[in-house]
Amino acid sequence: MSLEALVLELLSSVPHWLATVIIGALPIFELRGAIPIALGIYEMNPIAAYLFAVLGNMIPVVPLLLYLDPVSKYLRRYVIFDKFFTWLFGRTQRNHSARFEKYGTLALTIFVAIPLPVTGAWTGCAAAFVFGIKFRHALLAILAGVLIAGLVVSVVTLTGISLLYLI
């Protein structure tokens, strides 16, 4: 059984709007999974699908931005977590530091807005933490990125659904 099928099975008794919010909040799916499911499987109104997916995607952002620092400091007391965070933060800084130094919060917005795997609100929160972007700026940049990504995913999904009806 695929991960998507498992999540859909677990949420089968939940109203579609709430399932969309929950799927949007999950780090593995975010709105990149929530919108296609809402439009293609739940057959929701596109505006409702967009709004519920964006809401779900933004729910974990505030706690992540507020608590990533203290949680990582606490977990770094353990060798395995210290090695993991050293690797993760080092990798993030090596791969993205030039863009973040040059473009600042705009880079964060663009990073979150690109609807590809390993980009999105969850990873954007980690990037904001690693690069020391202040809470307010990070929250607004991530929100803008999520809104843009939601539009892109909605347009691509609706286009794909329309093309299926032409075949």
Side-chain angles (χ1 to χ4, degrees), residues 54 64 69 95 129 151 159:
V54 166
L64 283 169
D69 183 39
N95 294 340
F129 168 64
L151 287 173
T159 302

Side-chain angles (χ1 to χ4, degrees), residues 45 89 143:
N45 172 293
F89 299 156
L143 175 60

Side-chain angles (χ1 to χ4, degrees), residues 83-140:
K83 287 182 180 182
F84 170 73
F85 285 120
T86 300
W87 168 81
L88 177 67
F89 299 156
R91 181 178 178 272
T92 303
Q93 286 180 330
R94 276 191 313 277
N95 294 340
H96 303 290
S97 64
R99 279 175 274 194
F100 277 88
E101 285 177 18
K102 186 173 182 179
Y103 299 109
T105 55
L106 180 60
L108 182 60
T109 299
I110 293 167
F111 177 77
V112 173
I114 298 170
L116 294 172
V118 196
T119 65
W122 282 78
T123 311
C125 289
F129 168 64
V130 168
F131 293 108
I133 299 173
K134 301 235 184 275
F135 175 83
R136 192 177 114 218
H137 298 288
L139 181 63
L140 292 174

Side-chain angles (χ1 to χ4, degrees), residues 6-22:
L6 178 63
V7 169
L8 290 172
E9 176 66 28
L10 289 171
L11 296 174
S12 63
S13 63
V14 175
H16 292 161
W17 68 268
L18 183 56
T20 302
V21 171
I22 293 169

Side-chain angles (χ1 to χ4, degrees), residues 20-27 30-31 34 53 55-60 122:
T20 302
V21 171
I22 293 169
I23 294 167
L26 295 174
E30 297 194 49
L31 59 71
L55 173 65
N57 205 184
M58 289 303 296
I59 286 173
W122 282 78

